[in-house]
Amino acid sequence: MQKPILELTQLGMRYPVATGEFIALKDVNLVVEKGEFISLIGHSGCGKSTVLDLIAGLQMPTDGGVLVSNKEVSGPGPDRAVVFQHHALLPWLTVYENVELALKQVAIHQKKRLSKSELEQQVMHYLALVQMTHASSKKPDEISGGMKQRVGIARALAMQPNVLLMDEPFGALDALTRAHLQDALMAIQAELKNTIIMITHDVDEAVLLSDRIVMMSNGPAATIGEILTVDLPRPRDRVVLANNERYQHVRQQVLQFLYEKHTKVEPLHQPAAKEVA
């Protein structure tokens, strides 16, 4: 029986303030199966980044809990890798060395010893996934913003996480570079079958990439308002989808939630996932 890869149960976050407490999140319930691509979308201040931080273990919830691979999250760990909007590469290391560092850290955690040839093979494998082998010897200030973000994704993938967390990973990029990286991410997920949770403000990006879109209500006491299944076949082609009726319908549903219903929802209590053989 296969358990869900990620479970958020009655997740809440409260902060002390002068007048008592501020409720940032309340009753967030979500079950994610292995290999799913989930987008979190909502207006600024709706708690998307807080949810991601709680999954990553960068904050601990005041209510409820997070399970990854049936283990409670009690802090950061290599089973969850995060890609932020800004690449956060170490500027004094080359592209190769930035990815190599992640592999070495995973090996230490797993108490494994990798030979130089094994390290090289794995580093080049992850750089090949993001089409960056040609720049392996360059330092971050010698490559473009889009290339830096590709390396950041390669470094995160090198950690072999159970869940890849992405906080608006393409938000700082121009439209063309963003489109190229969206396509690259779809190709990577098709090959690796990894589980991805991504924050985005871009409705078209959410519909293009996701299996399900989790729509957050406005805070305070932000919660999941609706979960929308994107039942479009893969692989997906943005040009073909532009005139697809189902694509346009899903897109319209997200826009309707964001601009008409986002302040009027009750917490969504998602039923527990069924175990599958």
Side-chain angles (χ1 to χ4, degrees):
M1 297 292 182
Q2 183 175 321
K3 290 280 190 180
I5 194 76
L6 173 66
E7 296 176 81
L8 311 182
T9 305
Q10 296 295 105
L11 197 63
M13 197 70 193
R14 294 173 280 120
Y15 299 96
V17 294
T19 55
E21 64 179 13
F22 173 76
I23 302 174
L25 288 177
K26 182 178 180 181
D27 294 339
V28 173
N29 294 280
L30 181 66
V31 175
V32 178
E33 302 295 344
K34 182 176 174 59
E36 275 197 285
F37 194 121
I38 304 291
S39 285
L40 300 178
I41 196 166
H43 293 278
S44 295
C46 72
K48 303 184 300 294
S49 292
T50 303
V51 171
L52 208 74
D53 285 349
L54 293 172
I55 298 171
L58 300 176
Q59 296 188 67
M60 296 309 297
T62 53
D63 302 288
V66 179
L67 294 179
V68 174
S69 299
N70 212 35
K71 296 180 180 178
E72 187 169 6
V73 169
S74 58
D79 57 341
R80 289 146 289 136
V82 186
V83 177
F84 296 102
Q85 185 176 122
H86 300 287
H87 57 83
L89 299 178
L90 299 176
W92 58 88
L93 298 181
T94 64
V95 163
Y96 181 98
E97 290 167 340
N98 267 281
V99 178
E100 181 186 47
L101 182 62
L103 283 165
K104 287 180 175 177
Q105 291 301 311
V106 171
I108 290 170
H109 180 80
Q110 297 176 345
K111 298 180 180 178
K112 291 182 179 179
R113 298 190 67 176
L114 296 175
S115 66
K116 186 175 180 180
S117 62
E118 287 174 324
L119 267 175
E120 181 177 2
Q121 182 181 16
Q122 291 192 37
V123 170
M124 297 310 288
H125 167 70
Y126 288 110
L127 288 177
L129 283 175
V130 296
Q131 302 174 355
M132 284 296 294
T133 54
H134 65 285
S136 62
S137 62
K138 294 185 179 295
K139 291 189 175 178
D141 63 358
E142 298 177 291
I143 58 178
S144 69
M147 293 169 77
K148 290 172 187 174
Q149 199 63 314
R150 285 178 184 267
V151 179
I153 293 170
R155 183 178 59 182
L157 292 171
M159 294 177 64
Q160 301 168 35
N162 293 339
V163 180
L164 177 61
L165 304 169
M166 310 186 84
D167 192 350
E168 292 196 74
F170 313 133
L173 305 175
D174 64 87
L176 186 59
T177 301
R178 185 176 189 138
H180 286 320
L181 283 181
Q182 289 167 351
D183 291 340
L185 185 58
M186 284 192 288
I188 289 167
Q189 199 205 15
E191 179 174 339
L192 299 183
K193 304 292 189 288
N194 47 359
T195 306
I196 300 175
I197 313 292
M198 184 184 75
I199 290 175
T200 181
H201 279 100
D202 189 317
V203 173
D204 290 304
E205 180 172 80
V207 179
L208 175 67
L209 299 179
S210 307
D211 295 306
R212 287 187 295 158
I213 300 172
V214 174
M215 296 177 280
M216 303 285 295
S217 67
N218 279 0
T223 191
I224 295 174
E226 293 184 26
I227 299 177
L228 185 62
T229 298
V230 184
D231 53 351
L232 295 167
R234 295 181 184 274
R236 295 174 184 169
D237 184 306
R238 71 182 65 246
V239 177
V240 174
L241 287 177
N243 296 313
N244 181 288
E245 288 186 9
R246 180 57 189 164
Y247 175 89
Q248 293 298 336
H249 178 68
V250 173
R251 184 177 184 276
Q252 186 60 35
Q253 284 182 285
V254 178
L255 289 171
Q256 185 180 18
F257 175 86
L258 292 176
Y259 294 102
E260 294 180 16
K261 299 191 294 185
H262 63 274
T263 60
K264 305 173 186 177
V265 300
E266 295 296 329
L268 180 64
H269 295 275
Q270 184 176 308
K274 295 179 180 178
E275 292 188 353
V276 296

